[in-house]
Amino acid sequence: MALLIIMDGPQSGKTFNLKEINIIGKAKTCDIVISDLSTCNFEFEIERKNERYFVFPVETNILVNGHSITKKTKLIHGDMITVADILFLFGEEDACVPPHSNHPSEMNATPIIASTQAVNSTLEEILSTIENTKTPDKYKAIIYEVEKILEYHLEQRSVDVGKALKEVLEVLIDNDLGEHGLIFLKDKTSNKLWPMASL
């Protein structure tokens, strides 16, 4: 299943499940109606064909990863689409494995952390910083709760990153730090964002 997530704009954080054909725009007749504060109308289409997704402009200029497109363009997991003043992220649920995992046996694997040493040392640094600063007690409690979640997952034989991050999001939402949230990992090589958890 593919998703379209609003990353920046009036409906930031909203997620839409994509069908075979999706007309996205401001008109009430669109499949996905976007409320936008700008005065310009926009409309574009995302369609699925032969297990691939394509985007093309209908009545507006579209940028895909910062490049203007004028014809049907193939989308891949992590592509950023800009229309008017709105930034969208295209994602595919079965592609939540970092792009360096090219071996067929790893393509549908659950994301794992192979080594926990670096993560543990980072946690210790964060906790040390918190103790030595004037962090409000409410936030200290949240950080310690997140630490417990991460410590538990790091003790497992393999770490299910998506599950751990989802539990972290639940803690943040339960403590009134938002109504919903998304966590992404950024690939340093390609600068693409990989959605790992959402609530």
Side-chain angles (χ1 to χ4, degrees):
M1 180 173 65
L3 305 170
L4 191 66
I5 304 165
I6 300 179
M7 300 297 295
D8 190 20
Q11 294 172 285
S12 182
K14 193 159 186 182
T15 302
F16 304 93
N17 294 325
L18 295 176
K19 306 178 295 184
E20 295 292 315
I21 298 175
N22 310 268
I23 305 292
I24 301 114
K26 291 176 72 172
K28 291 188 182 347
T29 55
C30 292
D31 300 306
I32 297 174
V33 180
I34 307 296
S35 59
D36 177 35
L37 300 177
S38 68
T39 54
C40 67
N41 284 322
F42 64 85
E43 194 170 297
F44 65 102
E45 186 171 326
I46 295 177
E47 72 171 11
R48 183 180 181 198
K49 192 171 186 179
N50 299 326
E51 303 302 315
R52 307 253 184 218
Y53 283 87
F54 297 85
V55 62
F56 53 94
V58 177
E59 293 181 6
T60 190
N61 182 43
I62 297 180
L63 301 177
V64 176
N65 298 324
H67 302 286
S68 181
I69 64 163
T70 56
K71 59 182 182 180
K72 190 181 288 190
T73 302
K74 184 173 81 170
L75 290 171
I76 60 171
H77 180 73
D79 277 344
M80 304 297 260
I81 303 165
T82 307
V83 181
D85 294 327
I86 302 176
L87 178 65
F88 298 90
L89 173 72
F90 171 79
E92 293 179 276
E93 284 194 346
D94 59 354
C96 283
V97 179
H100 301 302
S101 300
N102 294 325
H103 192 275
S105 66
E106 297 176 351
M107 291 308 285
N108 292 317
T110 302
I112 63 168
I113 296 173
S115 170
T116 60
Q117 186 175 358
V119 178
N120 280 326
S121 64
T122 304
L123 279 174
E124 288 170 9
E125 289 171 17
I126 292 169
L127 293 172
S128 173
T129 303
I130 290 167
E131 289 300 330
N132 296 319
T133 60
K134 294 180 180 178
T135 306
D137 289 341
K138 177 185 177 179
Y139 296 118
K140 281 185 183 179
I142 293 169
I143 292 165
Y144 286 124
E145 202 171 338
V146 167
E147 180 209 10
K148 284 180 189 175
I149 291 169
L150 296 178
E151 278 185 348
Y152 168 79
H153 284 280
L154 292 171
E155 288 170 359
Q156 307 309 307
R157 195 171 136 261
S158 63
V159 180
D160 184 338
V161 175
K163 184 176 179 184
L165 294 178
K166 199 158 198 167
E167 289 177 21
V168 168
L169 272 179
E170 286 172 358
V171 168
L172 299 178
I173 291 168
D174 288 347
N175 283 279
D176 299 321
L177 295 181
E179 294 177 2
H180 57 265
L182 305 162
I183 294 182
F184 297 87
L185 296 182
K186 184 177 181 182
D187 180 353
K188 290 182 181 177
T189 307
S190 66
N191 284 327
K192 287 202 178 283
L193 295 173
W194 298 82
M196 297 302 294
S198 64
L199 276 178

